[in-house]
Amino acid sequence: MSPFINFLSATTNGIAILANAVGTLVVLGLVLLVNYDVVARGFFNSPFLGAVEVVQFSMVLIVFLQLPDVCRVNRLTRSDGFLTVLGTKYPETANILRHVINGISAAFMAVIAVAIWPEFVKMFETKDFFGVPGVFTAPWWPVKLTIFVSAALCTAIFALKVLKAREDVPPVRLPEGEDSR
Amino acid sequence: MTPVEIGIASVIAIVLLVYLGLYIPIALGVVSFVSIWLMRDNFDLAMNLVKIAVGDSVMEYTFATVPLFTFMGLVVSKAGLGADIYEVMNSGFRKVKGGIGMATVGANAVFAAVTGSSIASASVFSKVSVPQMLSYDYNPRFAVGVVAGSSVLGMIIPPSAMLIIYSFVAEQSVGEMFLAGVVPGIMLAIAYVIAIWAMGRFTPGFVGGRSGEDMEWMTPGEIAGKTLPTLLLIVAVLGGIYTGWLTPVEAGATGALLGLIIAAARGRMTLKTFWQALLETGHITAAILFLITAASIYSRMLGLAGLPNELSDLLNGSNFGFFWIMFVYVLLMIFLGTLLDTASIILIVVPLFLPLVEPMGLSLVWFGIITVVGAEIGLLTPPLGISCFVIKATLDDDRIKLKDVFIGAFPFAVVMLIVLILLIRFPSLSTAILN
């Protein structure tokens, strides 16, 4: 494998891990925010007015900041029984199949990125917002930008997986943080 | 090809590609994208639908339940609440033949009320109860079978990720789906305990083991210390939803915070495990919601193809009654369950059958329970019983082969099927709690 691809792969992986850490903090923020709203509304009768919009926005952040890392560690939902069995008998064929799969995945992620880009440009120019006017509103463009960057990063990660000669995938995925990971 | 033919071809293509190992959301997305393009001969329309699906489906407010309940489940597993409940149950069942098995079922049922994932239950209990059963000379197949069978409870007893996913596809309220899962879940747990008793009585060789006379009774104080935290969580979460005081999203957040406080108070949470739980929550959320996003492209594609309407015309024209439709549905679920994971089955099959079920005046909440239980049977059957794989991998014991796990789980899959038939025959088992 060429050193250049190695370098690119290390770079995209680094960005994915960083984005993942930020997304992780958003999860914590979500827990705290909703609890704050419950207490403020239930005990002090003064709900946080933008709760719904902020929750919606944090869902976008959680999903799309973490998606590249999910792709990096092969944790997108799949059923790999056939691949595993194939790998034990014909490792070469299985390896080719994995490359084809990563190629298709890169193509689909690229489609998402291309589809969402004009939407971002439009929203950035018009400054459209969501939420209830007068109560709480948030602009659309950061949402679209997050999705675009995420999809572009996923495309790069999958494309670089295709260029690598071989990837080692553990046959059965345990919950994270378990011994064998 | 007509749109309907393209629709049928793409459903088949998706199942085939997923079987070959393509990531499920990618398979749903790519095939739907291409078939919309072919059907309408319009590339821009296909792009547009992708844009709408990706941009909007994640913005659903109720989806915040996914990370919140996932986080709560991970925190309570790491806090050892599952193991505590198990110990209490074990001391209660210690004199009964197959007692540790029954304790595992009971503990799983209680633990399921604070987590939403079968995988979490399977990995917790294969570490806690399988070694103990083996040391009491239980048949290894029975030991792993019990854990596999009862792990399924995690997805049926609320809060459950599968019920959340179904409520999105069928546009039902998450709160109602949760409440509807309570009775069927308890029923399944009781059915398992009865089955274990029957196996101990009629096929003692399959169960094996000796009674735990040497185990000690727990003092009331110990029992309270081990059960109260979990009970508090269950009351706060399910009680909050039932009384309407909390929305499911708020219940999830409250549960997550309470779980965190309990874990911290018991000194079971280090900064490292805390970060790990957050990280895994993010990964699971991203994977599930990306799957849902892709599935929404797929259901738009089905709509454009007119496939669901076509299917319902076909079945209505051939005078299939309720019985046969359900028969075909359950058969399809079990078949797909051997190939795909539960979430994907729900997302692929439900949009096809909803237009069929809705005009029959059947409750969609009830239909959801049937769907989840039916799809979960597949977790226990080869070649892709995911629960069984997790148990095998967690145990890491060469004496127990994957085959043994499947053989051990088989009686429990049969019990599930019997419970499923009862649930279909008596819809009020699922819906009565809502009225």
Side-chain angles (χ1 to χ4, degrees), chain A residues 11-175:
Chain A
T11 313
T12 51
N13 286 351
I15 300 173
I17 292 169
L18 188 71
N20 187 47
V22 178
T24 302
L25 290 176
V26 180
V27 175
L28 184 62
L30 181 67
V31 174
L32 297 178
L33 168 86
V34 180
N35 273 295
Y36 168 78
D37 183 45
V38 168
V39 173
R41 186 201 49 170
F43 296 103
F44 303 102
N45 205 18
S46 63
F48 172 41
L49 290 178
V52 173
E53 286 77 16
V54 177
V55 167
Q56 284 179 314
F57 187 56
S58 42
M59 287 308 293
V60 173
L61 288 181
I62 293 172
V63 172
F64 287 101
L65 284 176
Q66 310 231 9
L67 194 58
D69 200 50
V70 173
C71 298
R72 180 182 68 87
V73 297
N74 297 313
R75 277 181 69 94
L76 272 187
T77 324
R78 75 179 342 176
S79 59
D80 43 12
F82 175 75
L83 260 180
T84 309
V85 173
L86 188 72
T88 54
K89 282 190 181 155
Y90 308 98
E92 270 318 302
T93 319
N95 195 36
I96 294 169
L97 189 55
R98 280 183 205 284
H99 278 79
V100 172
I101 287 170
N102 285 331
I104 297 175
S105 309
F108 183 63
M109 289 299 182
V111 166
I112 294 179
V114 172
I116 211 84
W117 174 252
E119 188 79 351
F120 161 67
V121 174
K122 196 173 95 194
M123 291 301 170
F124 191 72
E125 282 166 358
T126 58
K127 300 274 182 282
D128 262 1
F129 55 82
F130 63 100
V132 185
V135 182
F136 189 93
T137 55
W140 269 114
W141 67 264
V143 173
K144 308 294 178 189
L145 182 64
T146 311
I147 300 175
F148 171 76
V149 173
S150 171
L153 194 54
C154 291
T155 309
I157 287 173
F158 277 124
L160 289 166
K161 276 182 199 273
V162 177
L163 296 177
K164 283 187 183 177
R166 174 180 290 278
E167 62 170 319
D168 292 313
V169 185
V172 173
R173 280 155 299 150
L174 284 176

Side-chain angles (χ1 to χ4, degrees), chain B residues 246-260:
Chain B
L246 297 172
T247 67
V249 172
E250 292 164 349
T254 310
L257 192 64
L258 281 178
L260 213 51

Side-chain angles (χ1 to χ4, degrees), chain B residues 9-320:
Chain B
S10 39
V11 174
I12 295 171
I14 288 169
V15 172
L16 209 68
L17 285 172
V18 166
Y19 185 69
L20 286 177
L22 185 59
Y23 298 103
I24 297 166
I26 306 281
L28 286 169
V30 166
V31 173
S32 308
F33 176 77
V34 172
S35 38
I36 292 171
W37 180 9
L38 290 179
M39 244 185 292
R40 292 295 167 95
D41 194 19
N42 185 342
F43 183 74
D44 292 338
L45 176 72
M47 282 303 251
N48 234 342
L49 284 178
V50 168
K51 183 186 80 187
I52 295 171
V54 175
D56 292 355
S57 39
V58 170
M59 296 281 282
E60 189 82 31
Y61 174 72
T62 42
F63 282 163
T65 44
V66 176
L68 293 170
F69 281 116
T70 306
F71 184 58
M72 167 177 158
L74 290 172
V75 169
V76 296
S77 325
K78 293 197 192 240
L81 292 192
D84 281 358
I85 296 288
Y86 166 75
E87 281 170 28
V88 173
M89 292 272 178
N90 212 357
S91 106
F93 281 114
R94 71 204 160 108
K95 287 187 178 160
V96 188
K97 172 89 177 161
I100 305 183
M102 294 177 190
T104 306
V105 172
N108 252 306
V110 178
F111 188 59
V114 290
T115 73
S117 146
S118 295
I119 308 300
S121 310
S123 76
V124 166
F125 287 95
S126 29
K127 272 180 286 195
V128 182
S129 72
V130 172
Q132 191 169 21
M133 278 194 258
L134 294 184
S135 74
Y136 277 89
D137 299 331
Y138 277 75
N139 182 339
R141 284 181 177 173
F142 173 78
V144 288
V146 168
V147 174
S150 52
S151 73
V152 166
L153 293 169
M155 297 267 199
I156 296 164
I157 294 178
S160 143
M162 294 311 131
L163 293 176
I164 297 174
I165 290 178
Y166 175 83
S167 71
F168 165 73
V169 185
E171 295 178 347
Q172 296 299 302
S173 109
V174 174
E176 286 193 0
M177 286 309 303
F178 276 4
L179 295 176
V182 173
V183 175
I186 294 173
M187 246 176 78
L188 185 60
I190 293 173
Y192 279 161
V193 171
I194 295 173
I196 293 173
W197 174 84
M199 284 185 250
R201 181 90 175 69
F202 301 110
T203 56
F206 177 71
V207 178
R210 51 194 161 79
S211 66
E213 297 289 355
D214 49 334
M215 289 184 223
E216 289 190 15
W217 267 113
M218 288 185 172
T219 63
E222 266 181 303
I223 294 178
K226 284 181 190 295
T227 53
L228 282 182
T230 309
L231 290 180
L232 172 77
L233 272 176
I234 296 175
V235 169
V237 171
L238 289 184
I241 296 176
Y242 188 76
T243 56
W245 204 74
L246 297 172
T247 67
V249 172
E250 292 164 349
T254 310
L257 192 64
L258 281 178
L260 213 51
I261 293 171
I262 292 169
R266 311 174 122 205
R268 300 248 183 102
M269 183 63 69
T270 61
L271 214 54
K272 185 161 170 269
T273 50
F274 176 58
W275 181 254
Q276 254 175 7
L278 278 176
L279 205 73
E280 191 173 351
T281 304
H283 276 179
I284 293 173
T285 308
I288 290 185
L289 287 194
F290 189 57
L291 185 62
I292 290 179
T293 302
S296 81
I297 307 176
Y298 163 78
S299 65
R300 279 164 221 260
M301 182 276 288
L302 287 184
L304 277 179
L307 198 54
N309 293 328
E310 197 72 16
L311 195 66
S312 95
D313 287 351
L314 184 81
L315 285 176
N316 287 337
S318 59
N319 281 325
F320 270 171

